[in-house]
Amino acid sequence: LREIVLELSGKVDDLKADVVEMEKMVEGYLAFARGEGGEAPVPTEISELLADVVSAARREGTKVELAVDGAIHLPVRPQALRRSIGNLIANAGRYGKRVWVSAARRADAVEILVDDDGPGIPPEQREDVFRPFFRLESSRNPETGGVGLGLTIARDVLRGHGGELTLDDSPRGGLRACARLPA
């Protein structure tokens, strides 16, 4: 009987942990949904916005470098774009030892690249990671992979700006996230 009670106690603890994790996932999604609707686009210096996001990542312990090719002014929703790029940097820092962020104006777009030296994502799973709550890593431990909303939110924000987010191999050995915004 004692063994059964101990086994049931362990299962109850597991269920409680699952409920806490589900609450975090739902809260994260609701925070995203609430924050997207009210912000209006304003003229923004992208290099300053990126410098702020990179500084915040460095304070969190991420080893990140920033390179911006000249002044880039765009009308954006700055809080939303900060969150989008912040999510990309957080993912890169979680899986890689170093992160490189760069931005440059192209003919018809502004490209913001986030490269890392981590393990990358297999090409056949790169579209899957944009689905809400999808995680490559099977553990439910948020310390090892978040709740599966970071890339979903990042892509939604960029698409809301008329842009796109794609994933590819990084020349640094890991993953490259390419955020393109119309110029």
Side-chain angles (χ1 to χ4, degrees):
L1 182 63
R2 184 173 152 201
E3 289 176 17
I4 293 172
V5 169
L6 289 174
E7 184 179 337
L8 288 175
S9 175
K11 290 183 187 232
V12 168
D13 290 343
D14 289 345
L15 287 172
K16 285 179 182 176
D18 285 348
V19 169
V20 168
E21 184 58 26
M22 287 189 295
E23 285 175 348
K24 285 182 186 175
M25 291 182 347
V26 170
E27 285 172 14
Y29 189 76
L30 289 174
F32 162 68
R34 282 191 300 264
E36 269 303 275
E39 189 179 15
V42 296
T44 303
E45 173 51 54
I46 300 301
S47 62
E48 292 174 10
L49 183 142
L50 292 176
D52 290 346
V53 175
V54 165
S55 291
R58 286 179 181 146
R59 286 190 300 275
E60 295 292 321
T62 304
K63 292 181 175 150
V64 57
E65 294 179 27
L66 174 62
V68 179
D69 188 19
I72 302 171
H73 299 277
L74 284 178
V76 298
R77 292 187 317 277
Q79 290 304 94
L81 188 59
R82 271 189 188 87
R83 180 157 188 187
S84 177
I85 302 303
N87 286 347
L88 298 177
I89 293 171
N91 277 353
R94 183 177 294 123
Y95 297 105
K97 292 180 181 136
R98 297 198 53 199
V99 179
W100 295 265
V101 178
S102 60
R105 186 177 290 279
R106 303 289 180 235
D108 62 345
V110 170
E111 280 187 352
I112 301 169
L113 304 177
V114 179
D115 289 294
D116 67 60
D117 60 359
I121 296 174
E124 65 275 7
Q125 291 187 305
R126 288 183 184 153
E127 219 27 61
D128 292 337
V129 297
F130 291 112
R131 293 192 337 245
F133 308 116
F134 180 85
R135 293 183 53 201
L136 286 173
E137 187 254 324
S138 59
S139 160
R140 297 183 85 159
N141 181 353
E143 297 300 315
T144 62
V147 296
L149 286 173
L151 289 173
T152 304
I153 291 169
R155 182 179 252 184
D156 285 350
V157 166
L158 288 159
R159 285 181 170 173
H161 282 87
E164 187 55 82
L165 175 62
T166 58
L167 303 176
D168 203 348
D169 293 328
S170 170
R172 307 287 188 162
L175 187 71
R176 168 172 278 179
C178 178
R180 289 181 57 88
L181 294 164

